[in-house]
Amino acid sequence: PISAVLFDLDGVLTDTAHAHYAAWKRLADELGVPFDEATNEALKGVDRMGSLDLLLRHGGLSVDPESRDALASRKNGWYLDAIQAYGPADLFPGAREALCAVRDAGLRSALCSASRNAPALIDRLGIADLFDIVVDPASVPHGKPAPDIFLAAARQLDLSADRCLGVEDAPAGVAAIHAAGMFAIGIGDPQVLSDADRVIPSIADFRLEDYHAR
Ligand code: B16
Ligand code: MG
């Protein structure tokens, strides 16, 4: 039986994946780096600096550490502008219900987002009180696809990996869940998320009973 569900945020509970993409695209355009949704797929779930490095490598660019920090801040500024007016209406349909279903079943929930903006965002979305724990991505040594953030959640909940279910929209996130030894539910395109144990089109299709009785 499972005891906890570990949720990714961007692309799972709210559509910030698009806002992240738009901000990276703007930066890539300024730098003259070819960038489209397919290229962006590799950045999803990867932390800010890791994403920037992927983008720079894709364009064959190398920059000094100061410019690298400045580029990351520019991207984050555009991203913050884009999510500035986010509120509960920006949750994906079924997101709040999925979190409530976990709580109503007596299971625990964790937020395992790579985003340093996640705590502010869940406040704005009105779901902060529905998580038992929010793992600070800055507290783990390695970002997704490394398992660290999911393992930290299990440790904080005092659960073994096989009692945890992970929910992710990104290939790097699915890889992280599997590396942690957990069951992975993918949200989105089955072709993109072919490594997931189960793929559902959106969080509205999440039925806890499909996994809880397993
Ligand atoms: P920030 P998730 C990830 O969040 C996003 O998928 C990824 O695109 C983004 O680069 C990363 O957060 C870092 O975000 O710049 O806000 O710290 O999918 O793990 O919830
Ligand atoms: Mg995500």
Side-chain angles (χ1 to χ4, degrees):
I2 58 158
S3 300
V5 184
L6 280 36
F7 291 92
D8 174 45
L9 177 61
D10 299 311
V12 168
L13 300 174
T14 183
D15 184 24
T16 42
H18 184 262
H20 278 296
Y21 168 66
W24 286 126
K25 172 73 178 149
R26 183 165 171 186
L27 189 70
D29 286 351
E30 283 194 3
L31 294 169
V33 172
F35 194 79
D36 59 14
E37 302 234 17
T39 323
N40 183 62
E41 213 47 57
L43 272 59
K44 283 190 185 169
V46 175
D47 64 23
R48 198 179 306 164
M49 285 307 188
S51 296
L52 176 60
D53 289 341
L54 286 172
L55 188 154
L56 292 172
R57 200 176 319 144
H58 183 69
L61 300 176
S62 71
V63 300
D64 59 71
E66 256 167 61
S67 314
R68 186 168 163 264
D69 288 347
L71 292 173
S73 306
R74 274 165 75 72
K75 182 268 172 179
N76 194 51
W78 294 324
Y79 175 71
L80 288 175
D81 288 346
I83 63 163
Q84 181 241 111
Y86 265 48
D90 293 292
L91 282 170
F92 278 137
R96 166 170 280 279
E97 290 76 2
L99 289 165
C100 289
V102 170
R103 184 145 287 187
D104 292 347
L107 306 187
R108 285 185 291 165
S109 58
L111 186 70
C112 290
S113 169
S115 175
R116 300 190 181 220
N117 296 303
L121 187 54
I122 58 171
D123 261 345
R124 274 181 225 170
L125 294 168
I127 53 171
D129 57 336
L130 293 174
F131 294 100
D132 293 290
I133 60 160
V134 175
V135 183
D136 176 5
S139 73
V140 300
H142 306 288
K144 303 167 188 178
D148 303 27
I149 196 164
F150 291 101
L151 290 174
R155 205 177 312 118
Q156 288 176 33
L157 294 167
D158 200 20
L159 292 171
S160 58
D162 61 343
R163 308 291 298 263
C164 301
L165 197 72
V167 189
E168 262 287 353
D169 69 312
V174 168
I177 295 170
H178 278 162
M182 299 171 186
F183 188 90
I185 301 174
I187 303 275
D189 180 346
Q191 262 167 320
V192 173
L193 300 167
S194 54
D195 289 336
D197 297 300
R198 179 97 184 251
V199 180
I200 52 177
S202 77
I203 195 68
D205 304 291
F206 178 79
R207 301 276 170 273
L208 185 60
E209 55 277 18
D210 290 351
Y211 316 100
H212 192 31
R214 116 189 126 84

